[in-house]
Amino acid sequence: MNHHHLRGPQLPPPRGPLSGAVDAYLRGTGPLPAPADAAAADPYGDDLQLALYLCYELHYRGFAGVPPEAEWDPELLRIRAALEQRFLSALRADAPAHDSLDDALGALLVEPAEGTGVSHFLCDEGELWQVREYAAQRSLYHLKEADPHAWVLPRLWGRAKAGMAAVEFDEFGGGRADRVHARLFADLMTDLGLDTTYGRYLDAAPAEMLAVVNLMSLFGLHRRLRGALVGHFAEVEITSSPGSRRLAGAMRRTGAGPAAEFFYDEHVEADAVHEQVVRQEVIGGLLEEEPELAPDVAFGIDATEFLEDRLGRRLLADWRAGRSSLRTPLDRDRAPREQEMSHTS
């Protein structure tokens, strides 16, 4: 008997009729929603984003109790396509667009003199409970860091494929299991007293965080969106180094722990190198072969910035009001690992 389907994270509670129907279908207890229901849903809302996340996660580690065959279930793929279309159409309509790829890339290279984003807030004034919430939210991606981007490798060739593979090799630890970035993030979570179980904070994360992760899967799983995935990857890598420097400072200032500091210190150095590879080899190589994809690359950058800005506004609004950014708040009194050890020694 194959017990593989018993592994994986638990299915989270639904957040509305769409996610409720997808959840019931995965459990074998009910039908899927109609595609028309997806077309009428809030494209950025909890219900659609969770339903889409459930569909996408079948291509990663799946869920406990859901058979592996569900990954390619034709009916599930049909409703996933309707959810994707609603999400993608909204992004094309709502994300501010640069006039050209050069403009989009140029904007990424400019650091504002007075930064107001999440990394600035955490570096300058964030408290430990906010650092812990940030890590819990980001764990939805960082515990599978670089996995969504690996989907694009079979869709590239030449310089673009070689450059992308070189960056991914670094993300996956350069052949060392203890240096895989997902492993390093789990170590960061341990320092912060967080549960490192894959998918543990899915139910706690708001729709804004789900949308950020879903975007990577959307771009990665469709060959026609390979240019957008490269744009997304460029946005992440180009902005990562200065942001990681601020987050490393936040970890030190709040006493998060050595592994927490190391994770962001590692990204300051690695992503400064990756930026050059992505711009020159991945984007340069892609457009050398397929220059018609330049607008798609720009869209990938613009859509990523749009969703990250939405998430940032949500986090900062909650934190500045003194409330949790999570649907299920963490215990603010729980100390990171080193502090717990010192209290018991």
Side-chain angles (χ1 to χ4, degrees), residues 8-79:
Q10 297 295 317
L11 281 164
R15 304 186 190 180
L18 286 172
S19 54
V22 171
D23 175 271
Y25 189 81
L26 293 176
R27 295 179 188 274
T29 60
L32 286 166
D37 296 334
D42 178 356
Y44 310 116
D46 277 294
D47 191 26
L48 183 142
Q49 289 299 326
L50 179 59
L52 193 52
Y53 195 101
L54 296 179
C55 293
Y56 284 149
E57 191 57 37
L58 300 175
H59 298 286
Y60 296 100
R61 301 194 194 182
F63 294 98
V66 177
E69 293 78 12
E71 179 180 6
W72 299 111
D73 182 297
E75 297 304 315
L76 198 57
L77 292 177
R78 187 170 293 111
I79 189 60

Side-chain angles (χ1 to χ4, degrees), residues 160-181:
K161 181 190 283 281
M164 192 76 187
V167 175
E168 288 282 273
F169 183 66
D170 284 350
E171 301 283 353
F172 293 135
R176 291 178 52 186
D178 63 323
R179 300 282 295 195
V180 172
H181 284 189

